[in-house]
Each structure stands twice: as structure tokens, then as C-alpha cells.
Amino acid sequence: MAYFENVGKINYEGVKSDNPFAFRHYNAEEIVLGKTMKEHLRFAVAYWHTMTQDGSDPFGKATNIRNWWGETPMETAKNRVEAFFEILEKLGVEYFCFHDIDIAPEGDSLEEFFQNIDEITDLIKEKMDETGIKLLWNTANMFSHPRFVNGAASSNNADVFAYSAAQVKKGLDVSKKLGGENYVFWGGREGYESLLNTDMAFEQDNIARLFKMAIAYGEKIGHKPQFLIEPKPKEPSTHQYDFDAATSMAFIQKYGLEGDFKLNLEANHATLAGHTFEHELNVARSYDALGSIDANQGDPLLGWDTDEFPTNVLDTTLAMYEILENGGIAPGGINFDSKVRRSSFEMDDLFLAHIAGMDTYARGLKAAAALKEDRFFDELKEKRYASYQEGIGAKIVAGEEDLESLTAYALENDDITLESSHLEFVKSRLNDYLF
Ligand code: XLS
Ligand code: NI
Ligand code: NI
């Protein structure tokens, strides 16, 4: 049965097309800088926002019209698998991501939850084999159930730690079964509300303990997905431990996890942290830790994680530039951790929203490729740092100078000539690449 009877395969029709169910910029097989757009972008659809979120918010009930509700939670879960793969196939998206609780009902016990996961992942595996669609990453939801009120691995209650470990073990078993390429840890409630009753160092030691158990178990079962930490500064905790890319790198280095962990960076989390998305990608890149991205955008007028579909071409251009400079995003991808607005409640909005996000990233890719081919930023930066290419600058970089020799130099050269950045001109030129 088709869940989206009115929607066929979404094809590329070009900018002149006025068909809302067509790509106007994303042309999967088009070659950009020697690779197809599909290879560059490695799009993924997120199970939670697409299949399970219902449009409710703290002030109002569900608005989304969905036709996959069954008689029982398991029937609904099975219908969702069918509908999900229909969406992926029609969009031509080759990857997907999920939390354990997105795909299967938790039932009345952990044992029942695991049985449900087994049954649903059998179905997912069948669909994957049939379609060639792949698992970008899965993760464990260790934040929604009341038992996680004080966190998962960072909980003050050791039974909660054990429960979390069981969920991660199952997550890795599922990752192996489905050939997952990455495995994500987003902190959820790993953070704190008040330092008055919190042992921050101990809680972080415990998070690292769980991560090391995950690495060890992956080795034991012979399945090694790329582990990823997804930083977020706040929400749901007041203070999230994985605040941003730099904080997460400090954690990774403190516990010696560099060989096994990279970062999954989300655009809306970057802006919540007071950074641009490209800043976060750049930080990760400087540590060789850019693993994957969660594509979305926040509302700059609101202070929370609105997870909107990305539609800002400047943002996606600068993000794609970082990805190109990184030599690509594989084995990571571009996961739409994005949800339709509460007022976009029709079934077909799920397609329109993904088409918008994919087209916006395709535009970003094309603009970023042009910027790279023109050496737009390279030339700008070469010129800006030129003083380190020769003379005293080259000697500083080569480690040939010290405080005394530089003092002698400065005493002779204290009439310093600075250059204007002409930043307004640069931004205006950058606009030429966007539209
Ligand atoms: C929530 C996070 C979450 C992760 C996966 O803000 O973005 O959706 O991506 O747990
Ligand atoms: Ni995310
Ligand atoms: Ni988020």
C-alpha cells in the first residue's frame, strides 16, 4: 500500500519548473568538483521528526495528519517502516537515522522493548536489502523516559547507568545487524540543573566510562561504526556537558577518545551555543574530527531548538565550503534533523520540506564549489596573512625567533602599517555566488 498516493518519484526538473514535487537544484547525478551531488551530500532522513513527531508543542496538541496509525503500537510501528521507506525511495535519499524508541514501542519492560526492536529491525533490514538504502546512524534515546530525569550515564543513580548501558549495547547490536556507518551519542539529559548538588567531574567520568564500554563492545562484536558526539549547549538541561565543538573536543582529549570519536554537528545547536554553524564545522575540522552533520536551522528570533528545515542559502554555502575543505563528509552525511512546522500538518508537507532542504543544500554545494574553484577565500586569506610568508613572519612560523630577537626587531620596526579588511566589499562579492 502507498501512504503517499499523490506523490510520485521526485525528479530534478531545474529552476524553471513550477512543480512543487520536483527538485529545482538537487540533481543527484550532476558532477560537481569531480563527484556526483549525491556523493557529496549523502542525505539522510531522520525517523523521529518525519515519522513520530506529531506537531504538538507545550501550548497545543498534535496537528499532524498521518495515515499510518494502526490498532496497536506495534502495528503503527510496522506501518511507519513502510511509509518511511516510501519517503526515502521517492525522495531518492539513500540514508536514514533513528533512535531506538522512534522505531519500536517500549512496551512494559526492557525485554519487551528489545523484542519489539528485533521484530521491527527485521522489517527494516528487509526494506534495506530490497532498496539499497543504508543506515547512516542510530542512537539510543536515553532522555525521554522519566527514569532519565537526572541523565543517563551521568545520572546519580547507578541503575540508570546500567539501563543506559543495556540500551547502548542493543543499539550497537542493531548497528551491526543493519550495517550502520556511524553511531551517535547526543547528550540528552547529560548535563545539570544546579551545581549545588552536582559532582560535575564524576558525572563526566561516568559518561566516558560508558563511551569506553561502547568502544570495547564494538571491538568484541567486530563492528566498528564511527562514534560521534553531538554537541548542544542547553535544552533539556540548563548546562549540557557537550556544550559545543570545542568543549566536546576537550572531553574527547581528556579521556583519550580521539581514535574512536568524532563530532556530529547540528546547525541549530551551533546557534544555540552562540556560534555560527560554519564556526562549529571549522573547529571540528581543525581537530580532524568533522564526522557528520545534522542539517536544520533555528529561528534567530527564538531562543530554542526549533529544528526548522534549512532554507538559508548563505548558511548552507558556508557549511558546504567547510565540508569541501574537509575533503567530504563520508562516512558521515547530511541528516535532516528537521521537522515540519506545526502549521505544515499535511502528509505531503513531509516531501515539500525535504525537497526544500535538499535544494538549499544543493545550492550551497554549487556556490561553495564555485568559491573553491575561484579560490575566493584562499586568495583573501593568503593576502591577509602574507606577512607570515616572508621576512620576520616566516621566521616566527619556522620557530627561528624568540622574545629577545623579536624585541630587537620591534625596537627597529615600531612604525607598523596595517591594512583594511574591506569586509563589506568581501560580503558583497560573496553575495554574487549565492543567487
Ligand atoms: C536534539 C538532538 C537529537 C539528536 C539525536 O536536539 O538534535 O535529535 O540528533 O539524539
Ligand atoms: Ni541532532
Ligand atoms: Ni536538535
Side-chain angles (χ1 to χ4, degrees):
M1 162 191 170
Y3 286 85
F4 296 86
E5 277 175 355
N6 306 327
V7 184
K9 175 102 178 96
I10 311 296
N11 295 311
Y12 170 72
E13 291 183 9
V15 274
K16 300 244 165 63
S17 171
D18 57 9
N19 173 9
F21 294 96
F23 296 118
R24 296 163 68 251
H25 301 276
Y26 177 63
N27 185 6
E29 300 302 331
E30 185 179 325
I31 304 284
V32 177
L33 295 179
K35 278 203 291 194
T36 61
M37 292 184 85
K38 193 169 82 177
E39 284 172 288
H40 276 289
L41 296 164
R42 296 171 60 84
F43 286 130
V45 174
Y47 217 96
W48 54 104
H49 286 313
T50 302
M51 305 317 294
T52 60
Q53 81 93 12
D54 59 10
S56 57
D57 72 8
F59 303 97
K61 293 182 181 165
T63 54
N64 291 348
I65 301 164
R66 300 292 183 255
N67 62 6
W68 46 70
W69 291 100
E71 298 284 309
T72 62
M74 264 316 254
E75 199 184 308
T76 302
K78 288 178 189 167
N79 294 344
R80 280 182 172 138
V81 174
E82 293 283 334
F84 189 59
F85 277 82
E86 185 182 336
I87 295 173
L88 290 164
E89 278 206 274
K90 287 184 171 171
L91 282 174
V93 166
E94 295 190 334
Y95 292 91
F96 65 105
C97 303
F98 64 85
H99 303 80
D100 47 6
I101 73 161
D102 306 333
I103 59 162
E106 289 169 270
D108 294 324
S109 66
L110 187 58
E111 200 184 336
E112 191 182 333
F113 184 30
F114 285 174
Q115 277 164 11
N116 290 344
I117 290 176
D118 290 341
E119 205 177 322
I120 297 295
T121 50
D122 282 347
L123 215 61
I124 290 180
K125 190 164 173 3
E126 261 174 46
K127 284 279 172 192
M128 290 172 74
D129 291 343
E130 214 174 281
T131 59
I133 289 167
K134 293 165 280 209
L135 176 60
L136 186 68
W137 54 261
N138 61 313
T139 184
N141 178 317
M142 307 190 294
F143 45 89
S144 293
H145 192 278
R147 79 176 66 82
F148 300 116
V149 64
N150 292 315
S154 73
S155 171
N156 56 308
N157 186 317
D159 285 347
V160 176
F161 187 106
Y163 199 101
S164 310
Q167 263 182 275
V168 170
K169 177 186 175 293
K170 189 68 183 173
L172 290 171
D173 289 336
V174 163
S175 175
K176 179 173 178 172
K177 174 172 173 179
L178 304 181
E181 299 187 20
N182 305 270
Y183 186 88
V184 164
F185 289 96
W186 167 58
R189 292 179 197 273
E190 311 290 40
Y192 70 91
E193 202 169 359
S194 168
L195 204 48
L196 298 177
N197 62 359
T198 301
D199 187 340
M200 191 156 60
F202 178 70
E203 292 198 359
Q204 295 198 46
D205 288 349
N206 276 346
I207 296 172
R209 285 185 179 103
L210 183 68
F211 287 180
K212 287 184 176 168
M213 289 177 195
I215 296 169
Y217 186 68
E219 271 157 20
K220 184 168 177 193
I221 62 173
H223 174 65
K224 239 188 139 225
Q226 173 64 55
F227 287 110
L228 301 171
I229 292 178
E230 182 178 327
K232 185 176 184 179
K234 54 189 165 196
E235 253 191 68
S237 304
T238 315
H239 309 273
Q240 296 279 125
Y241 289 136
D242 304 321
F243 190 93
D244 59 2
T247 313
S248 303
M249 286 316 303
F251 178 92
I252 285 174
Q253 293 188 333
K254 177 174 181 188
Y255 295 102
L257 301 168
E258 297 94 326
D260 299 282
F261 275 78
K262 289 190 172 184
L263 301 178
N264 178 41
L265 295 163
E266 177 168 324
N268 204 162
H269 298 181
T271 50
L272 279 179
H275 301 306
T276 60
F277 191 29
E278 61 273 18
H279 167 92
E280 289 292 85
L281 300 179
N282 199 292
V283 169
R285 214 152 64 64
S286 72
Y287 287 94
D288 190 23
L290 177 50
S292 198
I293 71 170
D294 271 6
N296 59 19
Q297 69 186 28
D299 184 328
L301 302 180
L302 298 172
W304 63 91
D305 198 15
T306 54
D307 290 343
E308 299 177 15
F309 275 86
T311 49
N312 184 319
V313 183
L314 175 60
D315 289 348
T316 59
T317 299
L318 297 178
M320 283 315 301
Y321 187 80
E322 292 296 331
I323 288 174
L324 291 178
E325 286 290 283
N326 194 56
I329 193 76
I334 298 180
N335 168 47
F336 288 107
D337 193 349
S338 312
K339 64 179 172 210
V340 287
R341 296 303 85 196
R342 191 163 188 267
S343 58
S344 299
F345 46 72
E346 290 176 6
M347 295 275 292
D348 293 354
D349 283 306
L350 291 171
F351 277 93
L352 298 177
H354 280 93
I355 292 168
M358 291 165 77
D359 269 344
T360 306
Y361 261 89
R363 294 178 83 150
L365 168 62
K366 286 188 264 188
L371 286 160
K372 205 169 153 62
E373 279 186 317
D374 288 357
R375 304 193 73 254
F376 182 87
F377 295 118
D378 296 312
E379 275 175 22
L380 206 65
K381 290 178 195 174
E382 276 164 20
K383 200 160 167 274
R384 191 152 182 268
Y385 296 97
S387 69
Y388 286 92
Q389 290 302 319
E390 54 188 13
I392 195 71
K395 286 185 176 169
I396 293 172
V397 172
E400 288 164 13
E401 298 290 332
D402 58 24
L403 292 186
E404 287 163 299
S405 65
L406 289 173
T407 301
Y409 178 89
L411 285 167
E412 297 295 314
N413 293 281
D414 62 348
D415 191 14
I416 297 171
T417 318
L418 296 173
E419 271 172 46
S420 167
S421 65
H422 310 304
L423 204 47
E424 298 76 7
F425 171 76
V426 171
K427 288 184 180 178
S428 175
R429 278 294 170 88
L430 176 57
N431 276 344
D432 294 345
Y433 287 84
L434 301 185
F435 301 106

